Amino acid sequence: MSNFYNWDDVLQVEGIREEVLKFARTDNELDDFKAYLKEDGSLPDDERELQYLFKHAIEETRDVVFYFYNDGTENIGSHVHYKFHGKYFEFDGQGMIMGPLDYNDPEIILGLTADDIEGHLDEEGVPRDGLCVSVGGEFSDEYFAKHCLKLIAVGRKLEINGRMYVRTETGFELKK
């Protein structure tokens, strides 16, 4: 089974194989990706090994353009969007990867999470603490504050782009 929803589309991105090959040939402290290459130094023919290299090449670039994390106790998974070789790839927290995309749209993920909020309320009908604990990326704090209003109960905290905010009746205030 593929970790990539659109594996054939990924392979069609011009120059992406060369970028993954360059990644696999570089030394990495955590894993020896060269071991997955064929004897002649080219990419593997085995589909699973090839997808493994693609997944790690995307993740290891660390070009995170959006992230949404919860405390891990919800059915809603954390999401991370990476930019790799000019394309966006969405890691859904369940091991699946969407992409290649030409855009980064966290509003979709935050909107889906907000739509699913009914299943994540406490007995008073308030969003459970931990539903969303951290969000950020290439958008402003104000952007994320606007799209996270339904996810965070009044009085609870949310980290946005590395800064801690508290949810008030009127929105989010930077915690000092």
Side-chain angles (χ1 to χ4, degrees), residues 129-148:
D129 201 13
L131 175 63
C132 179
V133 295
S134 184
V135 65
E138 62 183 9
F139 296 90
S140 69
D141 291 12
E142 293 77 21
Y143 173 90
F144 288 118
K146 173 185 168 191
H147 292 288
C148 291

Side-chain angles (χ1 to χ4, degrees), residues 122 126-129 152-158 165-167 172:
D122 66 16
V126 176
R128 196 188 71 68
D129 201 13
I152 307 297
V154 172
R156 301 222 173 115
K157 295 179 229 162
L158 173 65
Y165 286 81
V166 175
R167 173 74 159 86
F172 286 94

Side-chain angles (χ1 to χ4, degrees), residues 13-156:
V13 175
E14 188 175 330
I16 198 167
R17 286 176 176 265
E18 292 79 12
E19 195 70 25
V20 171
L21 183 58
K22 186 168 73 174
F23 161 79
R25 288 180 175 164
T26 60
D27 288 327
N28 188 297
E29 305 162 4
L30 303 175
D31 202 347
D32 181 15
F33 294 106
K34 288 182 224 161
Y36 290 90
L37 300 178
K38 295 193 294 191
E39 263 186 45
D40 66 359
S42 62
L43 290 172
D45 293 325
D46 181 83
E47 196 79 12
R48 289 186 332 184
E49 290 178 358
L50 189 58
Q51 286 189 26
Y52 177 83
L53 286 176
F54 269 71
K55 175 185 180 291
H56 284 282
I58 294 166
E59 285 179 315
E60 297 292 323
T61 63
R62 302 212 188 317
D63 191 1
V64 176
V65 293
F66 168 65
Y67 61 90
F68 166 86
Y69 299 125
N70 62 32
D71 65 5
T73 60
E74 297 295 335
N75 292 330
I76 297 171
S78 297
H79 287 263
V80 180
H81 296 185
Y82 296 92
K83 190 171 186 181
F84 181 77
H85 195 64
K87 297 291 183 180
Y88 295 97
F89 293 87
E90 177 184 311
F91 286 58
D92 74 359
Q94 305 297 321
M96 296 304 294
I97 304 165
M98 183 69 138
L101 304 169
D102 292 323
Y103 56 87
N104 176 28
D105 191 358
E107 190 174 337
I108 292 171
I109 301 305
L110 297 172
L112 290 171
T113 304
D115 289 347
D116 192 33
I117 195 78
E118 288 77 27
H120 304 279
L121 302 176
D122 66 16
E123 49 281 347
E124 284 89 39
V126 176
R128 196 188 71 68
D129 201 13
L131 175 63
C132 179
V133 295
S134 184
V135 65
E138 62 183 9
F139 296 90
S140 69
D141 291 12
E142 293 77 21
Y143 173 90
F144 288 118
K146 173 185 168 191
H147 292 288
C148 291
L149 283 172
K150 284 183 170 180
L151 303 176
I152 307 297
V154 172
R156 301 222 173 115

